[in-house]
Amino acid sequence: MEAFVNQLPIGISIGAVLLLIALGLTFTFGQMGVINMAHGEFIMAGAYTAYLLQDLTGRMAVIVALPVAFAVAGLMGLILERTAIRHFYGRPLDTLLLTWGVSLVLQQLARDLFGAPNVQVQAPAWLQGGIGTLPYNRLFIFVLALLTVAGVWAYLNRTGQGRRMQAVMQNRGLAAVSGIDTGRVDQRTFFIGSGLAGVAGVALTLIGPVGPTLGTYYIVDAFLVVVAGGLGSLLGAVVAAAGLGLLNSYAEFWSDASLAKVIVFAVIVAFLQVRPQGLFVLRSRALS
Amino acid sequence: MLSVQGLESGYGRARVLFGISLSVEPGELVCVMGRNGVGKTTLLDTVMGVLPATAGMVAFAGEDVTRLPSHRRVALGMAYVPQGHATFPQLSVLGNLLVTLEACRGPREALEEALETFPRLKPLLKRSAGFLSGGQQQQLAIARALVTRPRLLILDEPTEGIQPSIVIEIEEAIERLHASGMAVLLVEQYLELALRLADRFLILDAGHVVHSGTAADLRQEETRRLLAV
Ligand SMILES: Nc1ncnc2c1ncn2[C@@H]1O[C@H](COP(=O)(O)OP(=O)(O)O)[C@@H](O)[C@H]1O
Ligand SMILES: [Mg+2]
């Protein structure tokens, strides 16, 4: 029982990290249907942003880096969308191969710029320690994930930009003939989705070292979260991330890391056999 | 107001329109008729920029819009209600109207006006559009187009598959909009309705205009034969 309780914060914080990554994917993958394999490298870029900011801001780097990494990763996403991805809309396989190539190039670029060995980002002093078995840094990630979910929800449902984004994703053709500049909405969607990857990258610096392949470790799980949650569903992403995080940490605790991956994967495959549409489907008469 | 000349378009290699010409003068209601699959929807889609024109020209209010993206055409005063009462299903009724209003930066009164045209929508503002009945969705679809305060309203079979009581309301609404001076380009299969509403009509067959004339011409036996299924 004690082991069970001790494992809980780890599971929740893995879930929170997955959620942060998956939130970005609900924009680019869930809403736009683009499988962007370079999303993991935007995470890596966010983490290195925090690393670089240390010289300027010392131990506050993690906090300062949140908005900066959002902008850095967002711009990288925007450039990728403008120069490459938009020419491949509706061609998922081409997009996948293209962005996979971009992902490898970005990893090499990181190796050239920062060296192959991992680097460390110092967390602020006030994030050291914890309450009982719950370390502050993991609590911080949890709160950050919740705030980000709330922010994304408010953006989508309470702003004109968010409404236009939803309209484009629900019916692109109708959005265009309703006067919405769909290309511009796509750019914005990609900027925000990629920017959120940068934020996730900053969060990752709190629980581990930063290296060129940082993003690849989580990216598959994050895609699974989006699929299992139901494409584009915010609530689905939250529930699936929490479920996957907990499952991951307990499977790892009772077996080992690689077997845990197999178990998690098997559970998701089984789940998708039963519910191919994911946890939450956006249902309506028009779609049924 | 709207002038279409020698318009050609299609899907990939399959050509559907073979040189369509038509015009809609300010305040005029022009009805496009023809059997299923002759290219009526393709014509409207091409006029609106949903499909690219492979040849010919579309001009609106004296401006060549052939290569403009759809949203720019909307900004110029063209509004389109596509076939099949499409809405943004997960947005509320109000959300559907607001998103259009915001996209064209219109005044809030435009939204109130659109709701006056279809008062039936007023108690439904908070409902998800996807859960409305087909007739209500069609009223919402037209109201959504009206929010942009268009100078030309383009409608594709607005009464198709809709309960009769609402068909009457939609017909009356189109009549009122027309009477208030709005130009309308209407695709309609239902002859009686076309006869009541149209100033002029054209009949399409296999991507060509095979007949055109005034409502009086439409009453003739020979024209009716062209429309027979
Ligand atoms: N998305 C599409 N892809 C390929 N062909 C299409 C598509 N939509 C319509 N068509 C074809 O184009 C022709 C005209 O269709 P359409 O314009 O929808 O006719 P209408 O509106 O008069 O019933 C038909 O032969 C139809 O099969
Ligand atoms: Mg049609």
Side-chain angles (χ1 to χ4, degrees), chain B residues 33-90:
Chain B
M33 308 188 73
R35 282 170 280 215
N36 272 329
V38 297
K40 304 182 297 294
T41 298
T42 308
L43 170 63
L44 297 193
D45 275 355
T46 313
V47 165
M48 249 351 252
V50 177
L51 287 170
T54 50
M57 175 171 109
V58 181
F60 180 72
E63 193 171 333
D64 182 354
V65 300
T66 319
R67 303 270 163 258
L68 280 191
S70 301
H71 69 270
R72 298 274 306 279
R73 301 186 200 208
V74 174
L76 288 175
M78 302 168 76
Y80 186 28
V81 180
Q83 190 167 5
H85 47 77
T87 59
F88 303 114
Q90 279 111 43

